[in-house]
């Protein structure tokens, strides 16, 4: 009976695996995509687990909505504090080792958290977790920048961020169902794969910095060229560019130079030295107007998402009158919509860029952000799960479609030696918003709107305002983007000319 189903599932899995290898550009890049995607999944699953187990935690520890929000908020707040130190490390130390050690500590913290018998102990555990999860964003961004050529970053980021969505789905649905039996078991199940993942991360090669270690698609996979400059592609058939060989500008930077877009002279002067101290680097990052707009937009968007992650299951149960198992199942369907969005947004932004739309990636993100707001409103008003589901699925797809093109665009407006610190600054502000969200969502629903499902519904409607602001700032970022890309090209060019020769030269 199960034999045909097993064989069909196996053939489907093998076909999906082959498609991923081809789309990623070969086995070497597929390995990187899968491991970095798993790292994002682990971080996202942790963020979702407390919300999925909220009911059980309240009963076991005698706490309320505000306390649940505080548990999530503390993790994010501590993560914000540690983001910049990890960003500095990502620019100066071996990134694969930083990430591997952080994952080992994360697994140990989850095991200790499963033994908690008081709110205080669980709070201390979340502080510990917040510190180590701060390593994820700066190291992953820096590694993607050095491994993946600029023309493909939107697409590859989409594959990696799919792991984040899968992790969120695991945190919501799988561990949520397990938490219905034992929230301690839910924490333990997440801890077990962490140590195996850390071993895989330790085994990853460290890419050369500044985009000098770009992995080209292997023969027969992906685009035919390994570099941004087609004239160089015919002379570089090897899979990875040798250390010391610096690639040309990215597609967006080349377009900015060809069109004569003027760089910011102040930023060019700031980057004239060979090295930047921390304060100078932070001032540079916060002077890039596109980056500031993207940081504010991301903070608003992640603020809303953090509230959904924490109270989403409880909202669905109360608003649509379904039990926890069905609520988790509905959220899995919504998660599938998010996967479609994240796999669509990156390639679409890349395609617009290849057609000469220098701000194409941010155009995709801004339109998707607007659609997110418009689609969420009817879903929050109706009380019918059947009526709300199409709106929520489409809104989830639009919400997730923003991230890959934005992540790819951020790398184009920053010089490579600042990727880690720039991501650290962004993560500091973004996770600060995430830290604030659960507490405010819980407090507003409990004390302003009286708690219960109606309190959560009105809270989610009010919190649509920051989600709207996210779209507004994305449109503003699109207007600043060409000049900031031109600045990054001008700042990077002198470093390219000063780059040391290859050891083989």
């Amino acid at each position: 009976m199960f034999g045909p189903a097993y064989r069909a599932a196996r053939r489907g899995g093998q076909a999906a695996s082959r498609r991923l290898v081809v789309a990623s550009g070969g086995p070497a890049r597929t390995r990187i995509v899968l491991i970095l995607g798993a790292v994002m999944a682990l971080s996202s699953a942790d963020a979702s687990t407390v919300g999925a187990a909220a009911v059980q935690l309240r009963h076991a520890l005698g706490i309320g909505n505000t306390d649940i929000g505080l548990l999530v908020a503390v993790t994010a707040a501590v993560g914000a504090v540690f983001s910049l130190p990890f960003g500095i490390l990502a620019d100066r130390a071996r990134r694969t080792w930083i990430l591997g050690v952080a994952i080992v500590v994360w697994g140990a913290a989850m095991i200790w958290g499963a033994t908690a018998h008081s709110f205080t102990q669980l709070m201390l555990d979340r502080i510990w977790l917040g510190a180590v999860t701060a390593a994820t964003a700066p190291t992953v961004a820096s590694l993607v920048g050095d491994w993946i050529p600029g023309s493909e970053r939107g697409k590859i980021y989409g594959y990696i961020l799919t792991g984040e969505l899968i992790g969120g789905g695991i945190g919501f649905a799988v561990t949520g169902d397990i938490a219905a039996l034992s929230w301690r078991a839910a924490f333990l199940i997440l801890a077990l794969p962490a140590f195996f993942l850390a071993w895989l991360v330790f085994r990853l090669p460290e890419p050369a910095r500044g985009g000098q270690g770009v992995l080209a698609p292997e023969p027969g996979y992906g685009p035919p060229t390994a570099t941004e400059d087609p004239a160089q592609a015919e002379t570089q058939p090897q899979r990875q560019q040798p250390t010391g060989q610096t690639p040309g500008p990215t597609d967006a930077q080349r377009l900015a130079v060809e069109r004569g877009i003027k760089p910011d002279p102040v930023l060019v002067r700031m980057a004239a030295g060979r090295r930047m101290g921390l304060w100078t680097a932070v001032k540079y990052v916060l002077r890039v107007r596109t980056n500031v707009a993207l940081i504010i937009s991301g903070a608003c968007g992640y603020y809303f998402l953090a509230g959904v992650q924490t109270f989403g299951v409880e909202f669905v149960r109360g608003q649509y009158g379904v039990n926890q198992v069905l609520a988790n199942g509905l959220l899995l369907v919504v998660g599938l919509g998010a996967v479609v969005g994240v796999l669509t947004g990156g390639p679409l932004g890349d395609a617009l860029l290849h057609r000469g739309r220098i701000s194409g990636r941010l155009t995709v993100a801004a339109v998707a952000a607007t659609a997110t707001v418009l689609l969420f409103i009817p879903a929050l008003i109706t009380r019918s799960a059947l009526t709300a589901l199409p709106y929520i699925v489409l809104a989830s797809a639009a919400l997730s479609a923003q991230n890959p093109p934005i992540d790819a665009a951020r790398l184009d407006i920053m010089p490579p030696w600042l990727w880690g610190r720039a991501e650290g600054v962004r993560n500091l502000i973004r996770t600060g918003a995430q830290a604030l969200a659960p507490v405010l969502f819980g407090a507003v629903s409990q004390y302003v709107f009286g708690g219960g499902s109606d309190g959560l519904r009105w809270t989610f409607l009010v919190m649509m305002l920051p989600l709207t602001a996210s779209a507004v700032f994305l449109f503003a970022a699109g207007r600043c983007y060409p000049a900031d890309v031109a600045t990054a090209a001008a700042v990077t060019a002198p470093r390219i000319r000063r780059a040391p020769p290859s050891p083989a030269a």
Side-chain angles (χ1 to χ4, degrees):
M1 176 180 177
F2 295 104
Y6 169 75
R7 287 192 292 272
R10 183 179 178 183
R11 286 194 297 270
Q14 290 173 340
S17 176
R18 287 193 296 270
R19 288 177 65 86
L20 177 60
V21 172
V22 171
S24 298
R29 293 214 302 193
T30 302
R31 177 188 174 205
I32 289 168
V33 166
L34 290 176
I35 292 176
L36 294 184
V39 171
M40 300 298 290
L42 199 63
S43 178
S44 181
D46 168 66
S48 302
T49 299
V50 170
V55 174
Q56 292 74 25
L57 286 172
R58 279 204 303 268
H59 291 160
L61 303 178
I63 57 180
N65 269 357
T66 305
D67 297 315
I68 293 294
L70 190 60
L71 286 173
V72 180
V74 164
T75 306
V78 175
V81 172
F82 279 84
S83 291
L84 195 51
F86 275 116
I88 297 170
L89 285 175
D91 283 335
R92 297 178 179 176
R94 187 181 177 96
R95 292 157 288 185
T96 53
W97 288 3
I98 296 169
L99 204 53
V101 170
I103 294 170
V104 170
V105 177
W106 186 93
M110 287 298 289
I111 292 173
W112 187 62
T115 68
H117 291 282
S118 68
F119 177 75
T120 301
Q121 183 180 342
L122 193 57
M123 176 67 73
L124 291 173
D125 178 68
R126 303 309 297 180
I127 292 172
W128 189 4
L129 281 166
V132 295
T133 53
T136 303
T139 51
V140 169
S142 183
L143 287 169
V144 169
D146 282 331
W147 265 323
I148 307 301
S151 59
E152 298 179 78
R153 283 177 190 150
K155 178 185 72 173
I156 298 300
Y157 248 127
Y159 298 152
I160 293 172
L161 293 178
T162 300
E164 185 175 29
L165 295 174
I166 292 173
I170 292 172
F172 263 130
V174 179
T175 60
D177 290 339
I178 294 169
L181 302 174
S182 169
W183 66 268
R184 300 182 191 278
F187 277 54
L188 284 173
I189 283 177
L190 280 182
L192 295 179
F195 302 103
F196 176 67
L197 178 59
W199 177 74
L200 293 176
V201 170
F202 279 124
R203 289 172 58 85
L204 284 175
E206 177 75 5
R209 293 185 181 272
Q212 299 176 63
V214 167
L215 284 174
E218 298 179 48
Y221 301 99
T225 177
T227 65
E228 301 291 342
D229 186 354
Q232 296 178 4
E234 297 179 1
T235 62
Q236 295 184 15
Q238 66 270 23
R239 191 181 70 187
Q240 179 168 343
Q241 295 179 11
T243 301
Q245 178 179 342
T246 307
T250 65
D251 286 357
Q253 292 171 354
R254 188 169 61 248
L255 281 173
V257 173
E258 289 173 354
R259 294 175 184 179
I261 299 173
K262 294 183 178 180
D264 184 333
V266 176
L267 289 177
V268 173
R269 287 196 298 270
M270 288 178 66
R274 293 194 64 88
R275 294 180 64 86
M276 280 188 181
L278 174 60
W279 180 238
T280 303
V282 171
K283 285 198 298 183
Y284 184 98
V285 166
L286 294 179
R287 190 178 174 86
V288 179
R289 292 176 299 167
T290 302
N291 192 51
V292 173
L294 291 179
I295 287 174
I296 297 173
S297 172
C300 293
Y302 275 94
Y303 170 87
F304 182 82
L305 184 59
V308 173
Q309 284 181 317
T310 307
F311 297 106
V313 172
E314 190 164 355
F315 170 78
V316 170
R317 291 176 62 190
Q319 177 75 3
Y320 307 126
V322 298
N323 59 37
Q324 179 156 347
V325 174
L326 184 55
N328 290 338
L330 291 175
L331 287 173
L332 278 180
V333 175
V334 173
L336 291 177
V339 169
V340 172
V342 82
L343 292 176
T344 303
L348 184 56
D350 291 349
L352 289 177
L353 179 61
H354 298 161
R355 292 183 180 183
R357 297 286 298 273
I358 189 171
S359 298
R361 284 170 171 159
L362 294 185
T363 300
V364 169
V367 171
T370 304
T372 302
V373 175
L374 296 177
L375 289 164
F376 258 127
I377 292 174
L380 294 174
I381 294 174
T382 182
R383 288 189 176 274
S384 167
L386 190 62
T387 303
L389 187 59
Y391 289 108
I392 297 177
V393 170
L394 291 173
S396 178
L399 181 64
S400 64
Q402 305 168 40
N403 293 329
I406 288 174
D407 289 342
R410 282 203 313 271
L411 295 176
D412 276 335
I413 58 174
M414 287 293 163
W417 60 89
L418 282 180
W419 281 339
R421 280 167 285 182
E423 187 66 15
V425 171
R426 182 189 78 94
N427 209 44
L428 169 66
I429 299 172
R430 187 199 76 179
T431 51
Q434 285 180 288
L436 187 63
V439 175
L440 279 183
F441 268 74
V444 170
S445 68
Q446 186 172 343
Y447 299 116
V448 177
F449 295 115
S453 59
D454 283 340
L456 277 177
R457 179 166 67 95
W458 284 107
T459 300
F460 273 91
L461 283 170
V462 169
M463 298 305 178
M464 293 297 294
L465 292 175
L467 198 61
T468 304
S470 174
V472 172
F473 278 101
L474 279 175
F475 281 108
R479 291 193 294 270
C480 305
Y481 183 70
D484 288 331
V485 168
T487 301
V491 166
T492 305
R495 302 279 181 124
I496 292 176
R497 288 194 292 270
R498 291 198 301 264
S502 168

